[in-house]
Amino acid sequence: MGRCCFYAAGTLSLLLLVTSVTLLVARVFQKAVDQTIEKNIVLRNGSETFDSWKHPPLPVYTQFYFFNVTNPEEILRGEIPRLEEVGPYTYREIRNKGDIQFGDNGTTISAVSNKAYVFVRNQSVGDPKIDLIRTLNIPAVTAMEWTHQRFLREIIEALLKTYQQKVFVTHTVDDLLWGYKDEILSLIHTFKPEISPYFGLYYGKNGTNDGDYVFLTGEDNYLNFSKIVEWNGKTTLDWWTTDRCNMINGTDGDTFHPLITKDEVLYVFPSDFCRSVYITFSDFESVEGMPAFRYTVPEEILANTSDNAGFCIPPGNCLGSGVLNVSVCKNGAPIILSFPHFYQADEKFVSAIEGMHPNKDNHETFVDINPLTGVILRAAKRFQINVYVEKLDDFIETGNIRTMVFPVMHVNESVLIDKETASRLKSVINTTLIVTNIPYIVMALGVFFGLVFTWLACRGQRSGDEGTADERAPLIRT
């Protein structure tokens, strides 16, 4: 009986160890998990993935920070602007996909991305309908830029003189965000109906969408999950000067494909940025006890390099690293985008404004993604809206103002997975961990039976050494 146990333990140990190594080398269970995920993470009507894509469960909050101008008269005399940050004014962002239609072969899906904003008082510094901000008169500055068009030049010059427009104005936060009727724009609207008589930094963005999208469902390849193939009927943009810069790449930033590796470069097309951007792996993170890859926007995205020369408008007119002139997609308004407080921008932009304090913790854009499922666990999209200003001899309103990129507002759009969603996702992750660890469990059993085999071998050896009482007795008794 003992000898049978001895051989059984040895044989079983060897079989289990060989099996576990074979399973690990062949990645049998890992491949099975990957194939299951690839099959399920598809935009298919009625699936859980589709429902989450249509109605994103994660709570999104948008915080607006304004730069209040404290020395307007001195600025017009040529002194450095002194700005005071006021905020946050926090809004809950309600997102959903609408007008959904599937393509004939199930590989594409068209939709619009609806957004609505609801004010959250207990996460804000004040009441946006009451609080006043002194800032640049963006409609007037924009109108001055439009004077480069001969048709509008004389009209705008007359309007600015008649209505005595100033470079700096004071409005409520609510007006600056969601819009107010502007005198100059109202009169220009008479001559150019495509110009809205209303102005607001987020005018027309509350309860609306940013256009028609066509996405890939991931049916043909999991790597194509939710990738954009068309926006507003176009497969490429037409604002920039090179084909590379005009490419529409990646997703809309709400979702990513599963089975992400840290060597991947992920692409995103945020329409408010008027271009595609890419994000790269930065660090390992843990969110609500779940593993995550942190991806960040690299400094090269807004660097003044040959790769970004196509974003310089007009060609060759590059302002410097860390800023992007988006006037071509903002009706000619001299809007310049950057990261908050000119984070990752040239020092000349920071030193030109008193009140800029760029730092990574508060101003970096990042996204923490669970690599197995591609689900966003935590993210912060941060950017700043600036206006390009300069002294214009034809407009005495500009005084002796310095030529500069003038900050107006910065935005922090953040998301953190809620506990209920995290609990469900953690259950999926733990199940897959158990399945993929089966080879290690088999190996552990093999090691266990190996130890039993060793113990039995040692025990048998010891018994053989000791022998029976008769065997130990001397051959010749006296």
Side-chain angles (χ1 to χ4, degrees):
M1 180 68 179
R3 189 170 294 275
C4 288
C5 292
F6 173 75
Y7 286 118
T11 303
L12 189 56
S13 172
L14 182 62
L15 285 173
L16 289 172
L17 288 172
V18 170
T19 301
S20 65
V21 171
T22 303
L23 291 174
L24 283 171
V25 172
R27 300 180 72 249
V28 174
F29 288 97
Q30 185 65 58
K31 288 179 180 178
V33 168
D34 291 352
Q35 289 172 359
T36 301
I37 290 174
E38 291 172 16
K39 183 179 178 180
N40 290 326
I41 306 295
V42 175
L43 294 176
R44 195 180 293 120
N45 198 7
S47 68
E48 186 176 348
T49 299
F50 174 77
D51 292 339
S52 295
W53 174 80
K54 183 179 179 181
H55 299 287
L58 304 186
V60 180
Y61 290 91
T62 301
Q63 297 175 309
F64 298 101
Y65 297 82
F66 289 85
F67 292 108
N68 189 55
V69 179
T70 63
N71 62 333
E73 299 301 326
E74 291 86 345
I75 295 172
L76 294 177
R77 291 199 296 265
E79 297 183 19
I80 292 178
R82 291 197 303 272
L83 306 184
E84 178 185 53
E85 184 179 279
V86 181
Y89 293 90
T90 305
Y91 290 77
R92 171 73 187 271
E93 198 174 313
I94 311 300
R95 299 183 176 190
N96 65 78
K97 299 289 194 298
D99 300 339
I100 298 173
Q101 291 186 339
F102 283 89
D104 294 335
N105 56 5
T107 61
T108 61
I109 182 172
S110 61
V112 296
S113 298
N114 298 313
K115 289 184 181 181
Y117 296 84
V118 180
F119 181 61
V120 183
R121 181 64 184 90
N122 63 357
Q123 296 184 32
S124 305
V125 296
D127 187 340
K129 293 184 180 296
I130 297 175
D131 294 358
L132 297 173
I133 300 292
R134 183 192 289 120
T135 187
L136 278 175
N137 186 349
I138 299 178
V141 173
T142 301
M144 293 176 193
E145 285 294 320
W146 286 340
T147 59
H148 296 304
Q149 305 173 33
R150 290 186 177 182
F151 171 71
L152 291 174
R153 184 178 182 84
E154 293 182 0
I155 296 173
I156 292 174
E157 286 181 352
L159 291 176
L160 290 173
K161 290 177 181 178
T162 301
Y163 287 93
Q164 298 181 344
Q165 292 287 306
K166 296 182 178 180
V167 173
F168 296 101
V169 291
T170 301
H171 287 284
T172 65
V173 168
D174 193 76
D175 283 348
L176 289 173
L177 271 179
W178 311 116
Y180 60 91
K181 193 169 185 177
D182 181 76
E183 292 177 328
I184 298 296
L185 294 181
S186 296
L187 290 166
I188 294 175
H189 175 72
T190 305
F191 301 97
K192 296 195 71 175
E194 67 271 21
I195 301 297
S196 172
Y198 292 88
F199 170 77
L201 295 168
Y202 267 55
Y203 174 71
K205 293 185 178 182
N206 195 355
T208 59
N209 61 75
D210 60 345
D212 300 317
Y213 286 88
V214 177
F215 303 91
L216 293 175
T217 61
E219 187 73 57
D220 59 338
N221 189 325
Y222 79 97
L223 293 172
N224 290 331
F225 174 71
S226 72
K227 274 189 176 180
I228 301 168
V229 291
E230 280 187 24
W231 179 59
N232 286 335
K234 297 179 180 179
T235 56
T236 62
L237 306 173
D238 55 14
W239 295 315
W240 311 111
T241 60
T242 64
D243 292 339
R244 183 177 179 274
C245 292
N246 277 319
M247 293 176 69
I248 298 176
N249 293 325
T251 73
D252 61 0
D254 287 346
T255 51
F256 294 95
H257 70 77
L259 306 177
I260 294 173
T261 66
K262 65 184 182 67
D263 297 323
E264 278 188 81
V265 175
L266 303 178
Y267 286 85
V268 180
F269 174 67
S271 63
D272 48 6
F273 232 64
C274 304
R275 57 162 290 187
S276 299
V277 300
Y278 61 86
I279 53 178
T280 56
F281 175 80
S282 172
D283 204 354
F284 296 99
E285 295 286 337
S286 177
V287 182
E288 294 290 338
M290 292 175 288
F293 288 170
R294 169 157 293 188
Y295 275 77
T296 58
V297 179
E299 193 171 344
E300 294 78 29
I301 283 292
L302 296 180
N304 188 12
T305 62
S306 57
D307 288 340
N308 290 329
F311 295 115
C312 298
I313 302 294
N317 183 26
C318 301
L319 296 175
S321 292
V323 297
L324 176 67
N325 183 350
V326 294
S327 58
V328 289
C329 59
K330 304 295 182 183
N331 287 323
I335 301 298
I336 310 295
L337 295 182
S338 69
F339 295 119
H341 287 249
F342 297 117
Y343 174 68
Q344 292 184 338
D346 288 340
E347 176 59 28
K348 65 180 181 180
F349 299 112
V350 179
S351 60
I353 309 291
E354 187 177 319
M356 297 293 99
H357 307 288
N359 70 81
K360 179 178 179 179
D361 292 341
N362 295 330
H363 304 142
E364 181 181 53
T365 291
F366 70 87
V367 56
D368 293 339
I369 310 171
N370 175 252
L372 178 70
T373 61
V375 172
I376 296 173
L377 305 181
R378 178 173 57 198
K381 173 186 172 185
R382 296 158 171 165
F383 64 95
Q384 182 169 293
I385 298 174
N386 313 277
V387 176
Y388 184 80
V389 296
E390 60 182 336
K391 176 183 177 181
L392 297 172
D393 293 333
D394 293 335
F395 297 97
I396 60 172
E397 294 86 357
T398 59
N400 290 313
I401 195 168
R402 298 184 180 195
T403 299
M404 70 186 95
V405 177
F406 200 104
V408 175
M409 175 185 78
H410 74 85
V411 183
N412 178 24
E413 192 177 283
S414 61
V415 60
L416 175 64
I417 191 168
D418 59 276
K419 294 190 180 298
E420 181 181 348
T421 306
S423 178
R424 293 200 303 269
L425 183 59
K426 196 180 295 184
S427 176
V428 173
I429 294 172
N430 289 339
T431 301
T432 57
L433 280 175
I434 292 172
V435 173
T436 55
N437 282 326
I438 286 177
Y440 295 103
I441 296 172
V442 174
M443 183 179 289
L445 288 172
V447 171
F448 171 74
F449 282 108
L451 292 173
V452 171
F453 172 77
T454 303
W455 178 74
L456 289 173
C458 292
R459 183 185 176 195
Q461 181 66 36
R462 189 167 59 250
S463 298
D465 292 341
E466 293 176 357
T468 62
D470 290 336
E471 290 172 337
R472 292 194 304 271
L475 293 175
I476 301 174
R477 290 182 172 86
T478 56

